[in-house]
Every structure is written in structure tokens, then in C-alpha cells.
Amino acid sequence: MLKIVYPICCGIDLHKKIVVATVGATNKSGVTSNQTKRFSTFTEDLYYLLNWLKSQSCIHVCMESTGIKPLLVQCANAVIKNKDFDYFRVRYQQIKRWCGHKKAIIAIAHMLLNCIYYILDRKKTFNYDLYKLDSKPKQTYAPQITEEMAVRYLQILGYQIPDLTSTA
């Protein structure tokens, strides 16, 4: 007999034009009932899917990834080549230096998936201003130390500095 980890969970199968979601709910006596619904992949229907999952009190979702992973990788490849999305391209190049191309593309795909999640969850449009890089590099403050300041600092530390300006 299988051990029940989550009493209510959902499995999602993603296709090009439809999303099939099955919610399994197990009662206290161990009997599981399943409900399956189909949704289109348009944004409005994805909101219906989200609301349906909330109405079923489902917070644990498992998604079949053979359909979405290649799609996200294609999107990641496109976004790093697009000159308008410099944040993702620069981030890809940074990660690529550490881990190589494959892991960097997966990391960018993960970032895109997070963006998609927050767009759907908060019902807001994508705000590119949050991902813009500053065209001017940030300047760090580096104080200018004069020779007089350096001599004074060494004297405070206990060093005896002869006066080099006076001639004998």
C-alpha cells in the first residue's frame, strides 16, 4: 500500500493547446477521489485553473515537464539573444562562466518560469523596468588621501616621521 504524503494534490499535464489537471483528494479512511478538468492554454483559462485549484484547497502541484521544459529552454535561448533584454543576457553570461552553457540556459529558463508565475499569481503585466541594467556603471567612493593625511595617520599610530620639507 502506498503511503499518502499529501491528502490533496494535483497532477498537471501540459500540451500545446490544453492543460489537463487532476486533483486527488484522500479522506481520513484512505479513499481517494479524483476530479479531472481540461483548460485551454490561454491566459483567461489559466486563471480558471488557478481558481479551481484554490477551490479544491490544492496547494501541492506536480507538473509533467516533458512539454514545458523544452519550451522554456527555447524561450531562454531567445531571450539571451534579444538585444532588448540585456539583463537576462548578462546574467546568462555570468552563470555560463561558472557552470557552462547548459546549466546557464536552465537557470535563465528558471528565471523566466518565476516571472511567469508572478505574472499569473499577481495578475499584473511584466514590468521590464525591474530587469533593466543601468547604462552607467556605479561609481564607488574612493577618498583621496593626501601626503599630509598619510603622515598624520602614521604619527597617530606611533611612528616618528622626520620632517622632510625642511633642509639642513
Side-chain angles (χ1 to χ4, degrees):
M1 179 149 178
L2 294 174
K3 179 183 173 191
I4 297 169
V5 179
Y6 302 114
I8 300 173
C9 61
C10 178
I12 295 180
D13 191 10
L14 182 67
H15 300 279
K16 285 184 181 180
K17 295 184 180 180
I18 63 165
V19 175
V20 180
T22 301
V23 172
T26 305
N27 61 19
K28 293 184 179 182
S29 58
V31 178
T32 302
S33 62
N34 296 319
Q35 281 188 328
T36 301
K37 284 198 173 190
R38 291 168 54 133
F39 301 89
S40 76
T41 54
F42 291 110
T43 307
E44 186 177 344
D45 251 17
L46 294 177
Y47 285 129
Y48 290 142
L49 169 62
L50 178 65
N51 291 331
W52 181 66
L53 291 175
K54 287 180 180 179
S55 72
Q56 300 292 320
S57 302
C58 181
I59 57 172
H60 302 286
V61 176
C62 177
M63 184 179 294
E64 176 268 332
S65 65
T66 57
I68 197 166
K69 186 175 177 182
L71 175 69
L72 286 171
V73 168
Q74 284 181 345
C75 291
N77 277 313
V79 81
I80 65 168
K81 293 175 185 172
N82 191 333
K83 303 258 188 248
D84 295 332
F85 293 100
D86 52 346
Y87 174 80
F88 294 106
R89 187 177 63 254
V90 169
R91 189 71 182 122
Y92 162 78
Q93 291 167 350
Q94 290 172 342
I95 298 170
K96 182 182 171 186
R97 273 187 250 133
W98 304 328
C99 309
H101 167 74
K102 288 182 180 180
K103 289 186 179 179
I105 283 294
I106 296 298
I108 299 300
H110 185 260
M111 289 172 64
L112 291 174
L113 187 61
N114 282 332
C115 289
I116 292 167
Y117 171 79
Y118 284 109
I119 287 169
L120 292 174
D121 186 51
R122 297 180 182 163
K123 297 183 181 179
K124 294 185 177 178
T125 57
F126 180 72
N127 186 359
Y128 182 65
D129 292 336
L130 298 175
Y131 296 95
K132 281 188 178 176
L133 294 176
D134 293 333
S135 58
K136 298 176 187 174
K138 293 181 182 177
Q139 294 180 351
T140 57
Y141 174 72
Q144 298 295 322
I145 299 175
T146 63
E147 184 179 325
E148 180 182 310
M149 291 167 66
V151 169
R152 202 160 142 223
Y153 177 71
L154 290 172
Q155 288 172 341
I156 290 171
L157 291 176
Y159 294 97
Q160 294 183 1
I161 309 293
D163 187 16
L164 299 175
T165 57
S166 65
T167 56

